[in-house]
């Protein structure tokens, strides 16, 4: 059985003159045995959860259970609203971190593709939709593109930080967001594939090194950076810039890099910033008290 590839579906879209969402919904219906209408309703419900998490994330502090993090999304959004920061990137980053705050405070999120990277895709797409007046149905269609990109990465590499480092989590999420964003901005299927390649190459080799083993630091900030990175990858593709290496080959390279990473840099909290003196003090504090108090 042939593995899924972006090249194959892009070529099919161009040859048959059919949109990627149409082809992806058809594929999903055949694979699951569910009608397209039901699949679409499920995606709509997921988008509603994303919107709910976004609003909660930028409107309250949402401290994590550990007390280590909280309110990052709200603070950046307030900074943006005070006109001290401008542009799509800051807004997308604020929303991405806010949604990640909901995850760390045990709220309801959609793992896109993982809980640790849950803010990147919705943070990016909600920002594009609000800034450019993109309607709900188009966003839902873009989510199918994102889902397919994630499926290709999962089948040919990994979405797990424990298997491939943070490149497999935040990197994949950024690739999914970049490709979906290209669609929302009227890019063509080939440009969607280019955006995926850019987003993944930008964080090739990114390690997974959570402080104290918690999906909080540096995870929340990486969600913010991932959203900004996704939009830049989108802009580069829409500008007509092309990746020297095709997206499918970039995905394969990411898999090879992930497999070559030491175990200490794959979600074990044994290396990277998780092994710094401050991180070790935080881990000890949390082990002894259960919650973190920085002062």
């Amino acid at each position: 059985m042939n593995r899924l590839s972006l090249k194959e579906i892009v070529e099919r879209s161009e040859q048959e003159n059919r949109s990627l969402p149409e082809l992806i919904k058809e594929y999903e219906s055949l694979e699951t045995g569910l009608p397209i209408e039901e699949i679409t309703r499920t995606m709509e419900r997921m988008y509603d959860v994303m919107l709910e998490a976004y609003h909660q994330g930028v409107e309250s502090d949402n401290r994590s259970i550990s007390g280590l993090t909280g309110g990052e999304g709200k603070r950046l959004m307030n900074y943006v609203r005070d006109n001290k920061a401008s542009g799509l990137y800051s807004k997308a980053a604020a929303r991405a971190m806010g949604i990640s705050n909901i995850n760390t405070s045990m709220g309801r999120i959609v793992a896109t593709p993982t809980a640790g990277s849950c803010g990147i895709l919705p943070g990016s797409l909600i920002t594009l939709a609000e800034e450019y007046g993109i309607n709900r149905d188009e966003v839902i269609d873009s989510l199918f593109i994102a889902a397919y990109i994630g499926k290709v990465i999962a089948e040919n590499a990994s979405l797990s930080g424990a298997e491939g480092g943070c490149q497999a989590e935040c990197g994949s999420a950024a690739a999914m967001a970049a490709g979906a964003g290209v669609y929302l901005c009227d890019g063509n299927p080939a440009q969607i594939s280019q955006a995926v390649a850019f987003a993944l190459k930008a964080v090739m080799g990114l390690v997974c090194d959570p402080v104290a083993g918690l999906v909080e630091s540096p995870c929340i900030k990486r969600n913010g950076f991932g959203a900004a990175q996704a939009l830049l990858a989108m802009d580069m593709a829409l500008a007509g810039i092309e990746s020297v290496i095709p997206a499918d080959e970039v995905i394969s390279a990411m898999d090879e890099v992930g497999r070559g990473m030491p175990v200490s840099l794959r979600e074990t909290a044994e290396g990277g910033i998780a092994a710094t003196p401050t991180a070790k003090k935080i881990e000890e504090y949390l082990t002894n008290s259960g919650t973190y108090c920085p002062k």
Side-chain angles (χ1 to χ4, degrees):
M1 180 178 178
N2 293 332
R3 286 180 175 269
L4 295 177
S5 72
L6 291 178
K7 178 182 179 182
E8 181 181 0
I9 198 165
V10 165
E11 289 180 347
R12 185 180 169 194
S13 174
E14 293 171 342
Q15 292 167 0
E16 299 180 12
N17 194 27
R18 299 172 65 192
S19 73
L20 284 182
E22 180 184 0
L23 291 173
I24 292 166
K25 289 177 188 178
E26 184 179 277
Y27 166 81
E28 190 68 16
S29 179
L30 289 172
E31 186 176 63
T32 63
L34 299 173
I36 289 175
E37 294 77 11
E38 183 174 344
I39 293 169
T40 302
R41 286 195 296 270
T42 298
M43 191 67 84
E44 289 172 347
R45 289 194 294 271
M46 290 184 183
Y47 185 50
D48 286 337
V49 174
M50 293 177 188
L51 288 170
E52 180 182 354
Y54 144 57
H55 287 297
Q56 291 177 356
V58 298
E59 291 169 5
S60 59
D61 288 330
N62 294 300
R63 298 299 301 178
S64 65
I65 301 300
S66 71
L68 180 60
T69 57
E72 288 84 0
K74 178 185 178 182
R75 286 196 290 278
L76 182 55
M77 185 59 79
N78 287 344
Y79 185 77
V80 170
R81 288 170 177 165
D82 289 340
N83 297 315
K84 294 176 181 176
S86 60
L88 291 178
Y89 296 1
S90 295
K91 294 175 182 177
R95 291 177 173 122
M97 288 196 295
I99 294 168
S100 187
N101 287 141
I102 296 300
N103 175 55
T104 61
S105 62
M106 300 302 166
R108 188 168 69 149
I109 52 92
V110 178
T112 52
T114 65
S117 60
C118 66
I120 296 172
L121 177 62
S124 302
L125 301 190
I126 290 169
T127 297
L128 290 173
E130 292 195 2
E131 289 293 312
Y132 298 127
I134 299 170
N135 67 52
R136 178 183 173 87
D137 289 343
E138 289 179 281
V139 178
I140 301 302
D141 278 348
S142 78
L143 289 173
F144 278 97
I145 292 174
Y148 190 84
I149 293 168
K151 196 176 186 75
V152 171
I153 295 173
E155 187 167 306
N156 294 280
S158 176
L159 302 172
S160 166
E163 287 188 343
C166 199
Q167 60 168 11
E169 291 206 27
C170 286
S172 296
M176 293 162 64
V182 169
Y183 172 79
L184 288 181
C185 293
D186 299 322
N188 60 48
Q191 289 172 325
I192 289 172
S193 183
Q194 299 293 341
V196 169
F198 295 144
L200 289 176
K201 288 193 294 183
V203 293
M204 186 72 71
L206 182 61
V207 303
C208 184
D209 49 354
V211 172
L214 302 172
V215 187
E216 298 187 41
S217 176
C219 317
I220 292 173
K221 284 84 170 181
R222 282 184 182 161
N223 270 256
F225 284 115
Q229 167 202 330
L231 295 183
L232 180 56
M234 175 195 78
D235 284 340
M236 291 170 66
L238 290 170
I241 300 171
E242 297 184 355
S243 174
V244 174
I245 309 301
D248 291 306
E249 293 183 32
V250 173
I251 292 170
S252 295
M254 185 184 80
D255 181 45
E256 181 181 357
V257 169
R259 293 178 185 277
M261 280 185 187
V263 173
S264 62
L265 300 179
R266 287 187 281 160
E267 208 173 351
T268 58
E270 295 176 354
I273 66 165
T276 61
T278 297
K280 287 302 181 183
K281 288 179 182 178
I282 291 171
E283 184 177 8
E284 182 180 3
Y285 195 101
L286 288 169
T287 299
N288 293 330
S289 68
T291 57
Y292 179 68
C293 179
K295 299 294 182 181

